[in-house]
Amino acid sequence: EGYAYTARVARLGSPVTVPLLVLGGSDQTRYSWVRHERWLGELGTVVTVDLPGFGDADFLPVEHGIDFLAECAGHMLRELGLGPVNLYAGCYGAAVGLRLTQRYPHLLRRVAVQGMSDHIPDWFAESLKGWVRLLEEGRVEETAEEFVRCFVPPPGDRTVRKHAALTRLMYQ
């Protein structure tokens, strides 16, 4: 529909499995997974994307939602000649990934979805209202501090080992 997006395709070594498409969270871009490529790249090509509304892609008006983003992801896979691919979809990307799976199962081999909820918790809905109010008042720094408090674990929390989970996905 005329909205631009940007894909990043990392081909490292000789692939042992089909490419991995990563659809990350709302605050991630196509470069957010670069640090994982040295491990994931040993298994196969790693594809990340800035869909419309993310990273360097075109701004996405509010009337376009999950369905539109899934269509964009499907379009990208077809344009790049990729498929079937393994799909890892996390957080906000999980909703897009599930819709992609529903609409284009022939483009996917394996699917892993993480960190998705079937509803917006009351505490988060209230937080969103507060963040919007802070931004409307021009209190950007305070808003950023609230985001960090909400989304970033405090120092000393356990380390999450994403590598093991993604490796398992690609080999099974």
Side-chain angles (χ1 to χ4, degrees), residues 22-35:
V22 177
L23 297 177
S26 59
D27 62 342
Q28 295 177 330
T29 71
R30 69 186 185 276
Y31 294 110
S32 297
W33 292 81
V34 169
R35 65 182 178 198

Side-chain angles (χ1 to χ4, degrees), residues 13-147:
S14 300
V16 296
T17 189
V18 300
L20 172 66
L21 170 61
V22 177
L23 297 177
S26 59
D27 62 342
Q28 295 177 330
T29 71
R30 69 186 185 276
Y31 294 110
S32 297
W33 292 81
V34 169
R35 65 182 178 198
H36 302 284
E37 284 176 2
R38 69 177 181 190
W39 296 289
L40 297 173
E42 293 173 4
L43 304 173
T45 299
V46 179
V47 181
T48 54
V49 61
D50 287 347
L51 292 172
F54 296 85
D56 293 331
D58 284 349
F59 174 78
L60 187 64
V62 70
E63 62 267 13
H64 294 294
I66 300 299
D67 292 336
F68 180 77
L69 293 173
E71 291 296 323
C72 292
H75 179 265
M76 179 208 56
L77 290 173
R78 290 188 303 276
E79 286 294 309
L80 292 175
L82 296 174
V85 298
N86 292 325
L87 170 66
Y88 167 78
C91 198
Y92 186 80
V96 177
L98 285 176
R99 189 55 47 99
L100 178 66
T101 303
Q102 290 171 331
R103 294 200 171 170
Y104 301 105
H106 63 283
L107 294 176
L108 306 171
R109 185 166 179 196
R110 298 176 192 98
V111 176
V113 178
Q114 174 200 11
M116 183 179 165
S117 177
D118 62 352
H119 68 285
I120 297 175
D122 291 339
W123 70 266
F124 190 76
E126 288 304 312
S127 295
L128 283 173
K129 291 175 191 174
W131 298 333
V132 168
R133 187 182 64 254
L134 289 172
L135 289 172
E136 288 173 345
E137 294 170 2
R139 297 161 59 188
V140 176
E141 196 169 307
E142 192 175 339
T143 306
E145 289 173 6
E146 290 295 321
F147 280 172

